Amino acid sequence: MPSSSTTEAQGAAPLPVNAAPLAVSIGDPAGIAPEVIAQAWAEREAHALAPFFAVGGAGVLVRAAASRGIELPVVQISSPAEAREAFASALPVLGEEDCTQTFGEPDAQGARLALHSLTRATRLALSGEAGAVVTGPIAKARLAEVGFTQPGQTEFLADACELAHDDAVMMLAGPSLRTVPLTVHEPLAVVPGLVTGALIEHKAHVIARALARDFGLPEARIAITGLNPHSGEDGRMGSEDRDVIAPAIARLAAQGLAVTGPHPADALFAAHERTKFDVALCMYHDQALIPIKTLDFDQGVNVTLGLPIVRTSPDHGTAFAIAGKGLASAGAMIAALRMAGECAQRRAMSVPA
Ligand SMILES: NC(=O)c1ccc[n+]([C@@H]2O[C@H](COP(=O)([O-])OP(=O)(O)OC[C@H]3O[C@@H](n4cnc5c(N)ncnc54)[C@H](O)[C@@H]3O)[C@@H](O)[C@H]2O)c1
Ligand SMILES: N[C@H](C(=O)O)[C@H](O)COP(=O)(O)O
């Protein structure tokens, strides 16, 4: 179980009154994002959520809410500054961009609205008018059809922040576990060639800085997995663990980071092992995401480390098959909103007066 984290509310200081509201991008209108955003607003008091506003999609949100039996009051705002007052009685929506949607049937108009919403929400976070951006799930393939060129929203945010893609580090965080994929949306066949000492060291430093800044972990314990079964078994099952990963870990330790490994990934996520680290840096997407989506799917948050802005997302996707059927859990969206509010609070309170 990770030690202190922003999801622990003990003693959380009240949000500074001047904290900017959170900007929420509505994701693919045909997926479950609009309905779980609506559900989160309906449960805002129960979860002490910071004020947030949606960017576009007022009609999409109202119809998605209705599919769950929620009569969602929305109010158009002309600037994020109006969101705090409106939030108590309605979901604030900035911008009149909208579209019709057929649940489970993504289309180009919906993808264009999702991209507009993401783009404007990100700009508002960069300008400081929004305290964070919380992104609704998109379908990457659908957005690619309307000009989205990045592998995912993480890389989109890196570009928006004028950072290299490797500087924006994806972390999945839940009550049981935090994991980071070293390589992300890459075909498995190319992963061994991408596992380099330089990338391991770079991402380990981004992780250490971010956990200190945003999660109250000044000396985060970073467990680094092996690539091969049993971490290569001394080279008998692959050499990357011995020849690439272990030397990188030694260099990181010499630089003062609290790193261990290479750990055999099959045993690392057992309950008794999870108490020994704060975050696991894993070699590829599914090595990192399978354990956390198995343990914490309905509370998992995808948070991008290394950005000048706060960005979170629920750990799930568009779930087209269940959109509009009242079956989607809003837990991960609520967790993403809560974590964004807490991280934004830490940053707002750490800014020199
Ligand atoms: N945060 C994101 O933007 C994000 C995350 C993952 C996947 N995606 C995208 O979403 C699309 C579908 O991806 P996928 O099918 O691999 O993953 P998914 O998370 O959409 O669905 C996986 C399974 O979990 C179920 N599920 C998902 N969210 C749920 C919820 N809140 N409550 C109950 N059940 C839920 C789905 O019905 C499905 O059976 C793809 O285009 C993918 O790229 C986006
Ligand atoms: N890899 C993420 C997951 O499976 O949860 C998901 O694709 C979101 O990635 P972006 O936030 O980069 O779109």
Side-chain angles (χ1 to χ4, degrees), residues 135-138 140 148 151-157 170 172 181 184-185 285-286 289 293 301-304 311-317:
T135 61
I138 59 160
K140 301 169 180 56
F148 186 76
Q153 297 186 95
T154 300
E155 293 82 3
F156 174 91
L157 285 144
M170 177 185 298
L172 278 293
V184 193
H185 293 132
H285 184 277
D286 285 0
L289 273 64
K293 292 193 179 184
V301 179
N302 171 1
V303 50
T304 307
R311 180 265 174 150
T312 66
S313 166
D315 64 349
H316 59 72

Side-chain angles (χ1 to χ4, degrees), residues 200-226:
I200 293 168
E201 290 181 67
H202 177 70
K203 289 205 172 183
H205 280 289
V206 172
I207 293 166
R209 286 194 299 270
L211 291 192
R213 177 180 187 183
D214 290 329
F215 291 85
L217 293 168
E219 294 185 0
R221 299 165 298 166
I222 306 173
I224 300 179
T225 65

Side-chain angles (χ1 to χ4, degrees), residues 290-347:
I290 288 172
I292 191 157
K293 292 193 179 184
T294 301
L295 290 167
D296 293 332
F297 192 93
D298 289 346
Q299 301 177 74
V301 179
N302 171 1
V303 50
T304 307
L305 311 180
L307 299 178
I309 59 175
V310 174
R311 180 265 174 150
T312 66
S313 166
D315 64 349
H316 59 72
T318 53
F320 289 124
I322 63 170
K325 298 177 178 174
L327 299 175
S329 162
M333 176 58 78
I334 289 167
L337 287 159
R338 188 171 57 231
M339 185 176 289
E342 292 169 349
C343 288
Q345 166 189 338
R346 279 185 190 274
R347 292 197 185 192

